[in-house]
Amino acid sequence: TPPEDEELAAVIEAHLPGRPLPVWSTKPATEIRPGDRVIAPGGAELTVSRIEHPFLDRDELICLIEDTPARWLAQPVQASAEVQVLS
């Protein structure tokens, strides 16, 4: 039977033969949308579930948040930062 966890299924499928290699591109942090897989400037890799902007009442900060059954991670970034995005 297939796994019920969508994130686990995606990881398994990503390692099956015949899939193209992932391509990372750079985007301004302000263009990141929920669902994007990103590498934040600090090096953390996450799938964005939601975005808080402004963060901590500061317009210059954005918080990229991954909120899944497997993990919760919040990564604050400068609004002017460039972020690596899986395309």
Side-chain angles (χ1 to χ4, degrees):
T1 60
E4 294 179 13
D5 186 316
E6 291 179 24
E7 188 173 10
L8 175 60
V11 169
I12 292 169
E13 289 174 0
H15 288 88
L16 295 175
R19 295 188 54 108
L21 293 176
V23 176
W24 293 92
S25 58
T26 303
K27 270 187 176 179
T30 54
E31 293 182 15
I32 302 301
R33 299 291 175 252
D36 286 346
R37 183 78 182 166
V38 302
I39 300 175
E45 187 173 328
L46 64 144
T47 300
V48 178
S49 301
R50 67 181 192 273
I51 300 166
E52 290 188 15
H53 185 233
F55 181 59
L56 299 175
D57 290 324
R58 296 175 60 188
D59 287 331
E60 69 274 11
L61 287 179
I62 296 173
C63 191
L64 306 176
I65 301 166
E66 178 175 334
D67 189 1
T68 66
R71 176 170 84 162
W72 187 90
L73 176 66
Q75 182 68 50
V77 297
Q78 293 286 326
S80 60
E82 293 286 317
V83 178
Q84 294 292 313
V85 180
L86 184 62
S87 52

